[in-house]
Amino acid sequence: MSYRKRKIFFYLFFFIFLLAGCAITLYSQGYRLNTKELTLSKIGGIFILSEPAQANIVLDGKPIKNKSWFLQSGTLIDNIIPGSHDLELLADGYRPWHKTIFVEPSLVSEVDSALLVSNHPAKKAKSDVFSITPLGTHHVEKDASGTLSLADTILPGGEFISASPDNQFVLTKTTAGTYLLSSLQPTSATSTPIDINKLFYTLRTSVLKLGGKPALQAVAFHPQSDAELFVATQNGLYLLDTTGNDITLIADTGVQYLTTDTHTVLWEDNQNRLMRYDPVLSAAQAVARDLPGHVTKAMGITDTNRPDIIYLLDSKLLAVTSSTATTSATVATRAVYFDISPDKKKIAFIDEDNKINVESIGLSDKTSFYLPVNGAITSFAWYKDSAHLILKYGDGRVYFTETDGINPVNVYLISDGVGTYFYSETEDALYMLKGSDLYTFPFGQ
């Protein structure tokens, strides 16, 4: 071989060596050639955590081994070229799950709330049911004759109102407007229902020296006591102690709306104010004044004794206030329904144009999206993972959907022709009343 040829081969192999070295170095640093765009970029990854855990994974049409087992949660797919990728999860007995995942260089995109929904139809559980209301791990039923029952226990009255914080006592109401307090413990001294109307009028006269018998507009349990009740009338709000036979006037203005939760009592008075009662300090205060409408729903947001408060008016104004605020902050002006997630970290609300909005409490994170479903959403319930919603439409259709808003949004029709419904977190099942038939839909297998 001539000197000239040896020199050419030397430079050729040296050039190949340099190219190979650079390629190995770039490869080791996570760079890959994007054959679609003919660009060099760092790889990324996708971490998948699904329910059921052993779902079959298909990425861009290619099956991927699911690495989930009892010592490892989820599957990490690495060496993925940045860009959009089609991810599909499949499992026998479940409806397919599909999502477009965008992978960024040097980052791992997390899919940690992929929930596959059972493809089994809802099951008929019972007939001759007129209405259903959730109560702890059970529910109250009303049959066609007007009889209320909880499991095998018959409740007095014809309308279920609420349960005590420990679910040991219930409030019911007769067709004549009499509120009854009953114990669910057969051995309890209050196994005979207490006539709240009669007790209220008696103590109002003997303790407060007030005459007359104003109509009871609402009655609610004290957030931290099953023996104390808040009683609302057209001219005041009272705290009634059913065991100590005592009564306290909380406010001397009429009550338009009353609700209680774990830590607070909220009501709208007839002076266009949203009021709050602090059970710890035994004090009432206005948290919002000059309301441009009437309250349709109000809730305490945080789990503290001085919570932030979110409220919705019939004017479709959704706002947030607190015990220390002098003004309210507007969240939305066209909202028709809202609720707080089970983990107390998110607020979801529906606009009048059916847009679904999900906001993180205390953060700027917000997702807004529409579902590819016709009709008006009238209400919804949060699923237990705080990442999905159960939506009911005006014509009785019930859907299950994600809240991330990333297309395509996985939305599943659960049933149609539904009237009353509620989700039981302990059973992970949806109860639906269709006519006089009660159906259940378990989300798991």
Side-chain angles (χ1 to χ4, degrees), residues 57-64 85-88:
I57 302 171
V58 180
L59 183 66
D60 295 330
K62 299 178 180 179
I64 302 294
H85 296 268
D86 187 74
L87 177 65
E88 190 173 16

Side-chain angles (χ1 to χ4, degrees), residues 71-144:
L71 290 180
Q72 176 177 315
S73 297
T75 298
L76 175 63
I77 309 173
D78 53 13
N79 293 325
I80 300 178
I81 298 296
S84 297
H85 296 268
D86 187 74
L87 177 65
E88 190 173 16
L89 301 178
L90 306 168
D92 291 340
Y94 293 87
R95 306 181 203 189
W97 183 96
H98 177 235
K99 185 75 67 175
T100 299
I101 307 297
F102 186 79
V103 176
E104 297 186 58
S106 303
L107 296 177
V108 174
S109 299
E110 293 188 1
V111 179
D112 55 3
S113 58
L115 179 65
L116 280 67
V117 175
S118 169
N119 63 8
H120 296 159
K123 300 177 181 178
K124 183 177 177 180
K126 196 173 183 180
S127 297
D128 192 29
V129 180
F130 182 76
S131 68
I132 53 174
T133 309
L135 175 58
T137 58
H138 303 286
H139 64 273
V140 175
E141 295 181 4
K142 182 178 180 179
D143 63 22

Side-chain angles (χ1 to χ4, degrees), residues 371-444:
L371 292 181
V373 178
N374 294 324
I377 301 171
T378 56
S379 65
F380 67 83
W382 278 96
Y383 187 67
K384 64 179 181 179
D385 63 0
S386 297
H388 295 82
L389 294 175
I390 300 164
L391 303 161
K392 182 173 182 291
Y393 283 71
D395 59 3
R397 289 170 297 154
V398 174
Y399 287 86
F400 183 81
T401 188
E402 305 159 323
T403 60
D404 59 13
I406 300 174
N407 289 321
V409 177
N410 289 283
V411 55
Y412 308 98
L413 177 65
I414 301 299
S415 190
D416 55 14
V418 176
T420 308
Y421 73 103
F422 73 89
Y423 170 67
S424 172
E425 183 173 330
T426 55
E427 299 175 83
D428 194 21
L430 183 65
Y431 284 82
M432 300 172 289
L433 195 58
K434 303 172 67 172
S436 61
D437 296 327
L438 181 62
Y439 285 78
T440 61
F441 178 82
F443 285 92

